[in-house]
Amino acid sequence: MEAVVVLLAIVPAKQLGHASGATAGAVCGAIAVVALLLCGVVGRGRAGLYAGSVFQALVIAAGVVLPAMYILGVIFAALWFTGIWLGRKWEHAAPAR
């Protein structure tokens, strides 16, 4: 989902004058590709969770080049860490059943 939303941010970023079309396309395209590649890694242990967490930090850092990424990065980082928290909560509750 993050990849789709980031790709949809290209046009508004260009129209609002945050960056040129080429810069917005390159930044958003790279973020989308990495997000899709990380989909295959996330379910394979702690390394995937760490990689996803670093990725979320890099998306926020991309706000230096494209200010819209600050907002999108914070939103998706909040979703990411909420998902990790809920997953751990669910895993700890499962043995009790």
mmCIF file of all heavy atoms in Angstrom, residues 34-60:
data_model
loop_
_atom_site.group_PDB
_atom_site.id
_atom_site.type_symbol
_atom_site.label_atom_id
_atom_site.label_comp_id
_atom_site.label_asym_id
_atom_site.label_seq_id
_atom_site.Cartn_x
_atom_site.Cartn_y
_atom_site.Cartn_z
ATOM 1 N N VAL A 34 11.671 -0.177 -3.484
ATOM 2 C CA VAL A 34 12.219 -0.762 -2.256
ATOM 3 C C VAL A 34 11.094 -1.298 -1.370
ATOM 4 O O VAL A 34 11.225 -2.369 -0.775
ATOM 5 C CB VAL A 34 13.086 0.269 -1.499
ATOM 6 C CG1 VAL A 34 13.508 -0.260 -0.140
ATOM 7 C CG2 VAL A 34 14.300 0.643 -2.319
ATOM 8 N N ALA A 35 9.979 -0.581 -1.304
ATOM 9 C CA ALA A 35 8.841 -1.058 -0.503
ATOM 10 C C ALA A 35 8.342 -2.401 -1.027
ATOM 11 O O ALA A 35 8.044 -3.310 -0.244
ATOM 12 C CB ALA A 35 7.715 -0.026 -0.515
ATOM 13 N N LEU A 36 8.259 -2.535 -2.325
ATOM 14 C CA LEU A 36 7.800 -3.801 -2.906
ATOM 15 C C LEU A 36 8.808 -4.929 -2.679
ATOM 16 O O LEU A 36 8.426 -6.068 -2.412
ATOM 17 C CB LEU A 36 7.515 -3.627 -4.398
ATOM 18 C CG LEU A 36 6.305 -2.750 -4.728
ATOM 19 C CD1 LEU A 36 6.219 -2.505 -6.230
ATOM 20 C CD2 LEU A 36 5.026 -3.377 -4.208
ATOM 21 N N LEU A 37 10.090 -4.618 -2.765
ATOM 22 C CA LEU A 37 11.108 -5.635 -2.514
ATOM 23 C C LEU A 37 11.107 -6.086 -1.056
ATOM 24 O O LEU A 37 11.329 -7.264 -0.766
ATOM 25 C CB LEU A 37 12.494 -5.107 -2.895
ATOM 26 C CG LEU A 37 12.740 -4.896 -4.389
ATOM 27 C CD1 LEU A 37 14.090 -4.230 -4.607
ATOM 28 C CD2 LEU A 37 12.652 -6.202 -5.138
ATOM 29 N N LEU A 38 10.840 -5.159 -0.153
ATOM 30 C CA LEU A 38 10.819 -5.509 1.268
ATOM 31 C C LEU A 38 9.627 -6.383 1.638
ATOM 32 O O LEU A 38 9.649 -7.053 2.666
ATOM 33 C CB LEU A 38 10.825 -4.253 2.129
ATOM 34 C CG LEU A 38 12.172 -3.566 2.282
ATOM 35 C CD1 LEU A 38 12.027 -2.262 3.044
ATOM 36 C CD2 LEU A 38 13.163 -4.470 2.984
ATOM 37 N N CYS A 39 8.606 -6.401 0.811
ATOM 38 C CA CYS A 39 7.443 -7.261 1.079
ATOM 39 C C CYS A 39 7.858 -8.730 1.195
ATOM 40 O O CYS A 39 7.288 -9.477 1.988
ATOM 41 C CB CYS A 39 6.399 -7.124 -0.027
ATOM 42 S SG CYS A 39 5.530 -5.568 0.006
ATOM 43 N N GLY A 40 8.831 -9.144 0.430
ATOM 44 C CA GLY A 40 9.279 -10.529 0.466
ATOM 45 C C GLY A 40 10.208 -10.840 1.623
ATOM 46 O O GLY A 40 10.456 -11.998 1.925
ATOM 47 N N VAL A 41 10.719 -9.820 2.294
ATOM 48 C CA VAL A 41 11.696 -10.017 3.353
ATOM 49 C C VAL A 41 11.064 -9.924 4.743
ATOM 50 O O VAL A 41 11.539 -10.549 5.683
ATOM 51 C CB VAL A 41 12.827 -8.967 3.224
ATOM 52 C CG1 VAL A 41 13.845 -9.086 4.323
ATOM 53 C CG2 VAL A 41 13.493 -9.072 1.874
ATOM 54 N N VAL A 42 9.999 -9.179 4.869
ATOM 55 C CA VAL A 42 9.437 -8.858 6.175
ATOM 56 C C VAL A 42 9.019 -10.078 6.973
ATOM 57 O O VAL A 42 9.241 -10.150 8.172
ATOM 58 C CB VAL A 42 8.256 -7.871 6.025
ATOM 59 C CG1 VAL A 42 7.504 -7.700 7.314
ATOM 60 C CG2 VAL A 42 8.765 -6.531 5.554
ATOM 61 N N GLY A 43 8.444 -11.065 6.354
ATOM 62 C CA GLY A 43 7.967 -12.228 7.082
ATOM 63 C C GLY A 43 9.030 -13.243 7.433
ATOM 64 O O GLY A 43 8.721 -14.314 7.945
ATOM 65 N N ARG A 44 10.279 -12.938 7.203
ATOM 66 C CA ARG A 44 11.351 -13.922 7.395
ATOM 67 C C ARG A 44 12.225 -13.623 8.604
ATOM 68 O O ARG A 44 13.442 -13.732 8.541
ATOM 69 C CB ARG A 44 12.212 -13.986 6.148
ATOM 70 C CG ARG A 44 11.406 -14.431 4.955
ATOM 71 C CD ARG A 44 12.248 -14.595 3.747
ATOM 72 N NE ARG A 44 11.381 -14.955 2.630
ATOM 73 C CZ ARG A 44 11.813 -15.286 1.459
ATOM 74 N NH1 ARG A 44 13.108 -15.304 1.221
ATOM 75 N NH2 ARG A 44 10.968 -15.593 0.497
ATOM 76 N N GLY A 45 11.629 -13.257 9.700
ATOM 77 C CA GLY A 45 12.393 -13.063 10.930
ATOM 78 C C GLY A 45 12.694 -11.619 11.250
ATOM 79 O O GLY A 45 12.182 -10.693 10.634
ATOM 80 N N ARG A 46 13.569 -11.473 12.235
ATOM 81 C CA ARG A 46 13.900 -10.141 12.746
ATOM 82 C C ARG A 46 14.583 -9.251 11.710
ATOM 83 O O ARG A 46 14.421 -8.041 11.738
ATOM 84 C CB ARG A 46 14.785 -10.258 13.971
ATOM 85 C CG ARG A 46 14.064 -10.782 15.179
ATOM 86 C CD ARG A 46 14.981 -10.641 16.404
ATOM 87 N NE ARG A 46 14.354 -11.200 17.575
ATOM 88 C CZ ARG A 46 13.627 -10.493 18.420
ATOM 89 N NH1 ARG A 46 13.425 -9.221 18.205
ATOM 90 N NH2 ARG A 46 13.102 -11.067 19.485
ATOM 91 N N ALA A 47 15.364 -9.828 10.836
ATOM 92 C CA ALA A 47 16.078 -9.025 9.840
ATOM 93 C C ALA A 47 15.103 -8.241 8.980
ATOM 94 O O ALA A 47 15.357 -7.075 8.645
ATOM 95 C CB ALA A 47 16.954 -9.910 8.971
ATOM 96 N N GLY A 48 13.997 -8.845 8.631
ATOM 97 C CA GLY A 48 12.986 -8.155 7.844
ATOM 98 C C GLY A 48 12.353 -7.002 8.595
ATOM 99 O O GLY A 48 12.083 -5.939 8.029
ATOM 100 N N LEU A 49 12.134 -7.188 9.900
ATOM 101 C CA LEU A 49 11.567 -6.108 10.708
ATOM 102 C C LEU A 49 12.548 -4.946 10.839
ATOM 103 O O LEU A 49 12.160 -3.786 10.775
ATOM 104 C CB LEU A 49 11.168 -6.627 12.090
ATOM 105 C CG LEU A 49 10.010 -7.619 12.114
ATOM 106 C CD1 LEU A 49 9.755 -8.096 13.530
ATOM 107 C CD2 LEU A 49 8.762 -7.003 11.527
ATOM 108 N N TYR A 50 13.813 -5.275 11.017
ATOM 109 C CA TYR A 50 14.821 -4.218 11.095
ATOM 110 C C TYR A 50 14.949 -3.487 9.758
ATOM 111 O O TYR A 50 15.054 -2.258 9.723
ATOM 112 C CB TYR A 50 16.175 -4.778 11.526
ATOM 113 C CG TYR A 50 16.201 -5.257 12.956
ATOM 114 C CD1 TYR A 50 16.720 -6.501 13.268
ATOM 115 C CD2 TYR A 50 15.699 -4.488 13.996
ATOM 116 C CE1 TYR A 50 16.750 -6.963 14.583
ATOM 117 C CE2 TYR A 50 15.717 -4.935 15.310
ATOM 118 C CZ TYR A 50 16.239 -6.167 15.592
ATOM 119 O OH TYR A 50 16.261 -6.614 16.884
ATOM 120 N N ALA A 51 14.938 -4.230 8.668
ATOM 121 C CA ALA A 51 15.037 -3.611 7.342
ATOM 122 C C ALA A 51 13.844 -2.703 7.091
ATOM 123 O O ALA A 51 13.996 -1.590 6.568
ATOM 124 C CB ALA A 51 15.117 -4.691 6.264
ATOM 125 N N GLY A 52 12.659 -3.145 7.472
ATOM 126 C CA GLY A 52 11.469 -2.317 7.304
ATOM 127 C C GLY A 52 11.513 -1.067 8.155
ATOM 128 O O GLY A 52 11.078 0.010 7.727
ATOM 129 N N SER A 53 12.053 -1.178 9.360
ATOM 130 C CA SER A 53 12.165 -0.018 10.241
ATOM 131 C C SER A 53 13.155 0.995 9.684
ATOM 132 O O SER A 53 12.902 2.205 9.703
ATOM 133 C CB SER A 53 12.593 -0.467 11.637
ATOM 134 O OG SER A 53 11.623 -1.326 12.191
ATOM 135 N N VAL A 54 14.282 0.506 9.178
ATOM 136 C CA VAL A 54 15.265 1.404 8.548
ATOM 137 C C VAL A 54 14.647 2.064 7.322
ATOM 138 O O VAL A 54 14.842 3.261 7.080
ATOM 139 C CB VAL A 54 16.554 0.634 8.185
ATOM 140 C CG1 VAL A 54 17.461 1.457 7.302
ATOM 141 C CG2 VAL A 54 17.266 0.197 9.447
ATOM 142 N N PHE A 55 13.891 1.293 6.570
ATOM 143 C CA PHE A 55 13.221 1.837 5.379
ATOM 144 C C PHE A 55 12.280 2.977 5.758
ATOM 145 O O PHE A 55 12.245 4.003 5.080
ATOM 146 C CB PHE A 55 12.465 0.729 4.646
ATOM 147 C CG PHE A 55 11.602 1.220 3.525
ATOM 148 C CD1 PHE A 55 12.180 1.738 2.377
ATOM 149 C CD2 PHE A 55 10.222 1.189 3.614
ATOM 150 C CE1 PHE A 55 11.392 2.207 1.336
ATOM 151 C CE2 PHE A 55 9.432 1.654 2.586
ATOM 152 C CZ PHE A 55 10.014 2.160 1.442
ATOM 153 N N GLN A 56 11.526 2.806 6.835
ATOM 154 C CA GLN A 56 10.603 3.868 7.249
ATOM 155 C C GLN A 56 11.379 5.137 7.613
ATOM 156 O O GLN A 56 10.948 6.246 7.297
ATOM 157 C CB GLN A 56 9.733 3.410 8.423
ATOM 158 C CG GLN A 56 8.801 2.277 8.100
ATOM 159 C CD GLN A 56 7.889 2.556 6.924
ATOM 160 O OE1 GLN A 56 7.438 3.661 6.696
ATOM 161 N NE2 GLN A 56 7.636 1.524 6.137
ATOM 162 N N ALA A 57 12.518 4.973 8.266
ATOM 163 C CA ALA A 57 13.357 6.134 8.592
ATOM 164 C C ALA A 57 13.872 6.805 7.326
ATOM 165 O O ALA A 57 13.922 8.046 7.233
ATOM 166 C CB ALA A 57 14.515 5.712 9.484
ATOM 167 N N LEU A 58 14.225 6.003 6.322
ATOM 168 C CA LEU A 58 14.708 6.579 5.055
ATOM 169 C C LEU A 58 13.597 7.307 4.298
ATOM 170 O O LEU A 58 13.863 8.307 3.634
ATOM 171 C CB LEU A 58 15.322 5.483 4.190
ATOM 172 C CG LEU A 58 16.624 4.880 4.722
ATOM 173 C CD1 LEU A 58 17.073 3.723 3.832
ATOM 174 C CD2 LEU A 58 17.698 5.934 4.825
ATOM 175 N N VAL A 59 12.378 6.808 4.401
ATOM 176 C CA VAL A 59 11.255 7.493 3.749
ATOM 177 C C VAL A 59 11.057 8.863 4.389
ATOM 178 O O VAL A 59 10.861 9.855 3.689
ATOM 179 C CB VAL A 59 9.958 6.651 3.829
ATOM 180 C CG1 VAL A 59 8.769 7.452 3.326
ATOM 181 C CG2 VAL A 59 10.101 5.372 3.026
ATOM 182 N N ILE A 60 11.141 8.922 5.709
ATOM 183 C CA ILE A 60 11.025 10.217 6.387
ATOM 184 C C ILE A 60 12.188 11.118 5.983
ATOM 185 O O ILE A 60 12.001 12.304 5.706
ATOM 186 C CB ILE A 60 10.964 10.031 7.918
ATOM 187 C CG1 ILE A 60 9.676 9.293 8.300
ATOM 188 C CG2 ILE A 60 11.037 11.380 8.630
ATOM 189 C CD1 ILE A 60 9.617 8.845 9.743
#
